[in-house]
Amino acid sequence: MMETTYDMSGSVSASMNYLTLQTPSKKSRRNKEDSQPVITSKICLVGKVKDVKGVSEAAESFGVPVIHSEDGLEYVSSQHDTVFVLYDFSDNIFEVLYKKECRILGYSALLDIVSKKYFMPELDRPLFSISMENVVSCFTGFRNREEVNTLVSCIHHMGGSIRKEFDCNKITHLIANKVGGEKYQYAVTFNIPVMSASWVHLAWERRHDLSVRAIDSTMQTNSALKIFEGTNVCWIGVNDEEVTQMNEILTNNGGLVTTLDDPNCTHVVIDPLGVGVVPEKLPSKAMLVEVKWFWVSIQMDICASEKLYPYKETHLTSPRNGVLSPTTPGSRTRKRKRLKDTVSQLAAHGGSPGLLQVPSSGHDSHRRRSSISESGLLSLSGSFLDATSPEKVGGQGDLSISVPTPQDLKAMSPRHQVFMELLHTEMNYVEILETIVEVFKKPLEDPSQVGGSLLDPTEVKIIFGNLPPIHEIHFELLVQLKNTALNWREDISVGALILKHSHDLVKAYPPFVNFFEQTKEVLSMSDRSKPRFHAFLKLGQSNPKCRRQSLQELLIRPVQRLPSISLLLNDLLKQTPKSNPDYGELEKALSTIKEVMTHINEDKRRTEGQVVLFDIFNDIENCPAHIVSSHRSFVSQCDVIELGDGIVGRGGQLTLFLFSDVIEICKRRSRGNTLRRDVSTISLQPPRGGADKGSKPTYKHVELISVSHVKRVIDITETEDCQNVFALICRSHYETKERLYSFEITSEDVDKVAFLKTLCRLMANITCRADAENYLACMEARQLDIDTGDLASGTLRRAARLASKTRMAVNRAFSFSKTPNRLKRAMSTVMSPLRSSNTSNLCDTSLISPMMNGGAVGMAASCANLAMMDSDTGLRTTPSSSTLKNFKSSSLGFNAHKRL
């Protein structure tokens, strides 16, 4: 391709003017005041371009003669009124015609011009395509003149134009080879796309594709200049864990990691809180910036201006090499404020967030004092956020409360001191809520975020949606507490204020606490998967209002607030005489707060059980659909081995899922995903399909028993040979005889007594009885004819494991799909539980045929008759008299009934 020369001293005009079929001569194009324009008289198709589909028809559509030539040289004498159409601009023919100052057009541009019904362009320079139509670009950062000339030629040949000076009203794209510089900052300020040189090269490579446009969003996204392109960065004061992460982010965004002794280092990124003393020997050309510069750049998806985030070397006597800003009159004030903040941070107590618990004593979930001391006002709730200025605190509403001095504290009564602690902890709490809203929530909801939205609206709602009602309630409570403090009397009622908002607290806190785990999971997942959001969180954490606490640490505070209020009310009650009118109100308020916390905890457990129910349902193959119900919740889970023959046979490994009104009995699959998944670790998310995508469910449904059908729970006495064994006596409304199910618990984390008491409590709830303990009976195994002889030696466990390993081989051996017809008939006769008593008639085909056709062989083997299954509920019904004989070992005899 023939290269043109880019005139660096002036601008280059646009290359296309679709106004007329007439075009001026080369001489007139150099001097617009010269002779008359020459009319285009013919179009010459040069070389193989005539074979391209549609080119000849397109040329003829202009109404001028169309001629064909191998090289077009015979028409060079009339080059000003002839348009030469070429297949490509990379051969010798193009170079010859270009040197002859001919009007050259690429076939791609010809087809596009005709399809868009444009006029023939003037062709001041060769035009191959119009993929950069309306593109006005500018260059910055390039030092290789040859590279610039190549890019200029490509842009001109694709219909674009170039300007030397940056004008935000005219420039549509900035082309750069590295970040930084005045033009780059102008471009990112006015939201002008900054592209790399690969954008031009990619568009030129695809010049034959008529559908390609350089301004398409896909091409611009793939070829945009990376955030740290051309930078060499080293770190100072950043911890090792963050350095690993920041190195990966830096390299993925075009930057390079270097060291302080590298003369090519461009940026030294310093964490002010982690650095001790900045080394004296630093790269002479490197810019010293705070770590905030790095995270702001990631969040905005542009390289932020280093001038906005310079590192202030306050411990050095003079700035380095003009990089640091000179000392300003306001620097002393900033130093004083920074020193004050540091002292406040050192005075504050670092506390780890705790769980919402109903306190039974005067100990808080984080460190605090039961009585007020002079130093207690430095941090009233154990957080950096609680460190307050000694000048003024608050400002919510029109009220302002000053922090009392030690002399003021001594003059206060003990009751007044505890109230002031309640007030200031409430002020700090409301400040935390406002920090979450102002620093995190509102910026995420802003539709005009630089670089686009950081999170989806759904994710923002999951994280912050339940917080505003809590903020509103505590803001109103704080205003009333401030008013009380300004009009303090010993007989003023503090308990009445709490009681006034108790109903609102009950409504506001459960939605936040119930879905707090889901909030944390969405927050953590977005933090890991979205670098811009991760940078946003880092910037928020560095905000002075957050005092280096992360968003997740701030969001735990609403979970801790009610226990903290309960403890403070308890302290206030201790300092209030019984003769005080507020004593009774405080007792009611304290009781109400505890009831609110109890209600929240119960509602949280109920919500978790309902959410986990969906995961359990999706993790059990053939699980009855009606098990998912709004009134049903998950309670407990237990792995067992069956000791009788009532369900799957002795030694069968089963899992019992205990719900509020039913017991789901299932067995783990012998293949596929057989790892036990404890439901206590199931994340609180909407149903995702239970087992991992692409794998089979972990469990297989066996039987669903209603808790109302369980008549008695038997705790088998513990002996040396019998451990963790229990039994259930069941009888449905359709059965006349009880059935006995006996199990051995194999889950190491399940306590047998607690599990059985929980089951008895559920039975009592269903029957509306208060004597849950009467459902539980203690008996010895021999009294119920339960064989436990092989439990101590582990024979049953080993047999169960062996059966699990050999089940696949046995299934293949008895597979009907690969068995001859004669053997199939014989096996049907042997396996049928409906065998005739007449030995001569081994098989009753009238009974076996429907079972074979329905695929109920397995069901018949365990139930003995399809009539035992309730088609609506899936629960067992009354077996026929002919089949009860097969269940002698699993039914209760006369002696067992007598003992019970």
Side-chain angles (χ1 to χ4, degrees):
M1 181 185 69
M2 184 66 181
E3 295 182 355
T4 60
T5 302
Y6 176 48
D7 184 6
M8 302 296 291
S9 62
S11 63
V12 182
S13 60
S15 62
M16 298 168 62
N17 179 14
Y18 306 119
L19 297 178
T20 177
L21 281 173
Q22 298 177 349
T23 180
S25 63
K26 196 68 176 180
K27 183 177 180 180
S28 67
R29 287 197 296 272
R30 294 174 181 172
N31 187 353
K32 297 291 183 178
E33 298 178 356
D34 280 355
S35 60
Q36 298 289 331
V38 179
I39 298 176
T40 301
S41 60
K42 53 183 173 293
I43 297 177
C44 180
L45 304 182
V46 180
K48 60 180 181 180
V49 72
K50 63 180 183 298
D51 300 326
V52 178
K53 183 179 180 180
V55 171
S56 299
E57 292 80 0
E60 294 172 355
S61 64
F62 286 97
V64 296
V66 178
I67 56 180
H68 302 274
S69 174
E70 289 298 325
D71 53 15
L73 297 180
E74 61 269 29
Y75 301 103
V76 170
S77 59
S78 58
Q79 73 271 29
H80 298 313
D81 62 345
T82 302
V83 175
F84 296 87
V85 181
L86 275 63
Y87 182 79
D88 207 349
F89 285 4
S90 58
D91 52 13
N92 294 329
I93 298 177
F94 170 77
E95 295 183 7
V96 173
L97 294 178
Y98 181 79
K99 291 178 179 179
K100 297 291 185 179
E101 299 182 348
C102 297
R103 300 167 62 196
I104 305 174
L105 190 67
Y107 82 91
S108 180
L110 176 65
L111 295 176
D112 263 344
I113 290 170
V114 173
S115 64
K116 296 179 182 296
K117 298 182 180 180
Y118 288 161
F119 294 108
M120 179 66 72
E122 290 186 0
L123 295 176
D124 291 343
R125 58 181 61 86
L127 179 66
F128 186 86
S129 71
I130 58 174
S131 59
M132 281 194 170
E133 178 186 7
N134 299 325
V135 171
V136 182
S137 56
C138 184
F139 289 93
T140 183
F142 291 92
R143 296 184 179 275
N144 189 331
R145 191 178 185 88
E146 183 179 354
E147 181 183 6
V148 173
N149 288 337
T150 301
L151 294 174
V152 169
S153 298
C154 291
I155 294 173
H156 285 162
H157 294 339
M158 291 184 288
S161 60
I162 301 170
R163 295 288 186 272
K164 179 182 178 181
E165 301 299 331
F166 190 91
D167 186 349
C168 60
N169 296 321
K170 296 180 180 180
I171 300 297
T172 62
H173 294 78
L174 177 67
I175 302 175
N177 67 342
K178 62 179 181 180
V179 297
E182 185 178 354
K183 291 183 179 179
Y184 179 86
Q185 293 301 330
Y186 270 118
V188 298
T189 301
F190 293 101
N191 200 25
I192 295 174
V194 182
M195 313 304 297
S196 64
S198 62
W199 177 58
V200 179
H201 295 308
L202 180 61
W204 181 252
E205 290 174 2
R206 303 180 62 182
R207 61 189 180 277
H208 296 282
D209 189 349
L210 301 181
S211 61
V212 172
R213 289 293 179 269
I215 58 175
D216 290 345
S217 58
T218 303
M219 287 196 64
Q220 291 193 138
T221 302
N222 296 335
S223 304
L225 190 71
K226 294 184 177 181
I227 302 174
F228 299 111
E229 189 71 43
T231 60
N232 297 320
V233 181
C234 67
W235 320 99
I236 295 181
V238 184
N239 61 62
D240 295 339
E241 182 179 353
E242 286 193 344
V243 163
T244 302
Q245 183 184 32
M246 294 168 74
N247 285 343
E248 182 180 356
I249 296 176
L250 177 66
T251 54
N252 290 339
N253 288 276
L256 296 176
V257 181
T258 186
T259 57
L260 287 175
D261 55 359
D262 184 2
N264 296 321
C265 179
T266 60
H267 294 78
V268 178
V269 179
I270 304 174
D271 187 352
L273 298 180
V275 65
V277 178
V278 177
E280 291 291 336
K281 186 178 180 180
L282 295 174
S284 58
K285 298 181 180 179
M287 289 180 284
L288 274 64
V289 293
E290 291 188 0
V291 70
K292 185 185 295 186
W293 165 81
F294 179 82
W295 295 119
V296 169
S297 300
I298 295 296
Q299 179 190 336
M300 297 194 303
D301 205 22
I302 59 174
C303 183
S305 174
E306 294 85 356
K307 296 179 181 179
L308 300 177
Y309 307 97
Y311 175 71
K312 305 290 194 308
E313 292 182 299
T314 56
H315 59 281
L316 297 181
T317 57
S318 61
R320 293 184 44 83
N321 301 321
V323 174
L324 301 178
S325 301
T327 303
T328 59
S331 62
R332 182 172 300 178
T333 304
R334 290 195 296 270
K335 291 179 182 178
R336 186 183 298 113
K337 184 177 183 299
R338 184 180 305 161
L339 179 61
K340 186 186 301 182
D341 293 341
T342 304
V343 173
S344 300
Q345 291 181 13
L346 293 176
H349 298 286
S352 59
L355 298 177
L356 180 59
Q357 297 179 350
V358 180
S360 58
S361 62
H363 299 286
D364 202 347
S365 57
H366 45 267
R367 282 191 298 172
R368 58 172 299 277
R369 296 170 176 80
S370 59
S371 61
I372 298 294
S373 65
E374 296 178 5
S375 61
L377 289 175
L378 290 176
S379 178
L380 296 173
S381 63
S383 167
F384 284 162
L385 280 168
D386 300 327
T388 55
S389 170
E391 298 169 358
K392 278 196 174 182
V393 183
Q396 292 87 355
D398 297 329
L399 305 175
S400 181
I401 303 295
S402 299
V403 175
T405 62
Q407 291 76 14
D408 295 334
L409 285 175
K410 292 180 180 179
M412 293 180 181
S413 65
R415 170 177 160 85
H416 194 185
Q417 292 179 12
V418 177
F419 171 77
M420 291 302 296
E421 182 178 4
L422 173 63
L423 171 62
H424 288 123
T425 55
E426 186 68 15
M427 292 167 62
N428 289 326
Y429 178 60
V430 173
E431 182 182 355
I432 292 171
L433 297 179
E434 291 179 348
T435 298
I436 296 174
V437 173
E438 296 295 331
V439 177
F440 296 99
K441 182 176 181 291
K442 288 186 177 179
L444 289 174
E445 293 176 339
D446 185 8
S448 60
Q449 299 174 40
V450 179
S453 299
L454 297 174
L455 292 179
D456 295 332
T458 303
E459 295 172 327
V460 176
K461 187 174 182 179
I462 291 175
I463 297 174
F464 302 103
N466 298 317
L467 194 64
I470 297 177
H471 180 219
E472 294 175 4
I473 294 172
H474 282 275
F475 182 84
E476 295 177 1
L477 177 61
L478 177 59
V479 172
Q480 296 176 8
L481 289 175
K482 285 184 176 182
N483 187 55
T484 302
L486 295 175
N487 302 278
W488 174 256
R489 302 188 313 274
E490 286 297 320
D491 60 346
I492 198 168
S493 180
V494 179
L497 295 180
I498 306 299
L499 289 174
K500 180 180 179 181
H501 296 86
S502 60
H503 181 68
D504 295 331
L505 294 175
V506 173
K507 294 193 301 182
Y509 271 92
F512 183 88
V513 177
N514 290 346
F515 296 97
F516 182 68
E517 294 299 325
Q518 184 181 8
T519 298
K520 289 198 303 181
E521 186 168 349
V522 172
L523 184 61
S524 300
M525 182 174 60
S526 301
D527 187 12
R528 293 191 303 268
S529 60
K530 299 181 178 181
R532 292 182 59 225
F533 180 66
H534 176 79
F536 172 79
L537 295 180
K538 286 291 184 181
L539 288 174
Q541 187 174 353
S542 65
N543 192 304
K545 294 182 179 180
C546 296
R547 301 301 175 97
R548 302 297 294 177
Q549 292 199 12
S550 66
L551 176 58
Q552 186 165 326
E553 291 171 336
L554 297 177
L555 287 174
I556 193 67
R557 300 306 291 273
V559 180
Q560 299 173 331
R561 183 54 186 162
L562 290 183
S564 178
I565 292 178
S566 177
L567 292 172
L568 289 169
L569 290 179
N570 189 47
D571 288 347
L572 189 61
L573 184 64
K574 291 179 181 179
Q575 303 297 336
T576 303
K578 293 185 178 180
S579 59
N580 193 310
D582 192 31
Y583 188 86
E585 297 294 326
L586 285 175
E587 284 186 325
K588 294 179 182 178
L590 184 60
S591 176
T592 301
I593 291 296
K594 291 183 178 180
E595 290 177 2
V596 170
M597 290 188 291
T598 302
H599 172 77
I600 291 174
N601 287 334
E602 292 178 353
D603 193 61
K604 182 177 186 295
R605 284 191 290 267
R606 183 168 55 252
T607 302
E608 289 177 353
Q610 292 175 347
V611 173
V612 171
L613 179 59
F614 284 95
D615 288 317
I616 295 175
F617 168 75
N618 290 313
D619 209 21
I620 301 176
E621 183 180 0
N622 298 329
C623 184
H626 62 268
I627 196 174
V628 179
S629 177
S630 59
H631 71 274
R632 182 173 295 126
S633 59
F634 172 76
V635 178
S636 181
Q637 173 187 1
C638 181
D639 290 340
V640 298
I641 293 179
E642 187 179 9
L643 303 181
D645 298 324
I647 302 178
V648 295
R650 183 174 178 81
Q653 297 185 11
L654 302 172
T655 298
L656 306 182
F657 289 99
L658 181 61
F659 297 96
S660 55
D661 60 342
V662 294
I663 303 175
E664 168 63 18
I665 303 177
C666 55
K667 59 182 179 180
R668 276 176 286 170
R669 300 180 61 89
S670 58
R671 53 184 175 180
N673 184 13
T674 59
L675 296 177
R676 179 176 183 264
R677 190 174 71 162
D678 189 352
V679 294
S680 64
T681 64
I682 296 178
S683 60
L684 299 181
Q685 284 188 341
R688 302 179 305 276
D692 294 337
K693 195 173 183 179
S695 63
K696 293 183 179 180
T698 308
Y699 305 96
K700 187 175 182 180
H701 169 73
V702 175
E703 187 172 354
L704 185 66
I705 299 178
S706 174
V707 173
S708 62
H709 292 173
V710 181
K711 303 305 179 183
R712 187 64 62 89
V713 179
I714 308 298
D715 183 3
I716 304 300
T717 305
E718 300 285 322
T719 63
E720 184 178 353
D721 298 335
C722 180
Q723 300 286 334
N724 291 328
V725 178
F726 72 96
L728 303 178
I729 299 176
C730 304
R731 179 172 61 84
S732 68
H733 304 299
Y734 305 100
E735 293 175 320
T736 58
K737 191 173 183 179
E738 288 82 3
R739 289 175 285 114
L740 176 66
Y741 298 142
S742 55
F743 308 96
E744 178 196 6
I745 297 177
T746 59
S747 299
E748 297 180 357
D749 56 344
V750 175
D751 181 70
K752 182 182 74 170
V753 176
F755 180 78
L756 298 183
K757 286 184 178 180
T758 301
L759 177 57
C760 293
R761 187 167 59 252
L762 295 177
M763 296 166 60
N765 292 339
I766 292 178
T767 56
C768 299
R769 294 177 57 176
D771 53 345
E773 64 278 359
N774 290 338
Y775 286 101
L776 182 63
C778 295
M779 300 182 66
E780 296 181 0
R782 59 181 178 81
Q783 293 179 282
L784 296 177
D785 299 328
I786 299 177
D787 184 9
T788 61
D790 52 0
L791 293 182
S793 61
T795 305
L796 186 60
R797 292 174 181 264
R798 289 194 297 270
R801 286 195 295 267
L802 179 62
S804 177
K805 293 179 180 178
T806 59
R807 186 177 293 112
M808 292 176 59
V810 173
N811 288 341
R812 286 194 297 268
F814 288 94
S815 174
F816 285 106
S817 61
K818 299 182 179 180
T819 306
N821 291 334
R822 292 184 180 179
L823 182 57
K824 184 185 300 184
R825 288 193 295 270
M827 290 304 301
S828 300
T829 303
V830 174
M831 294 180 64
S832 174
L834 305 177
R835 290 175 294 178
S836 173
S837 59
N838 186 3
T839 57
S840 61
N841 185 11
L842 296 178
C843 180
D844 187 353
T845 57
S846 64
L847 293 176
I848 293 179
S849 179
M851 295 171 58
M852 293 295 296
N853 294 335
V857 174
M859 184 66 74
S862 60
C863 297
N865 196 336
L866 295 179
M868 294 173 59
M869 300 301 298
D870 189 341
S871 59
D872 295 331
T873 64
L875 305 179
R876 293 198 173 191
T877 56
T878 306
S880 62
S881 59
S882 62
T883 59
L884 284 175
K885 298 178 182 180
N886 296 328
F887 288 89
K888 183 179 295 184
S889 61
S890 62
S891 301
L892 293 179
F894 176 75
N895 293 333
H897 277 293
K898 186 176 181 181
R899 286 190 290 269
L900 289 174

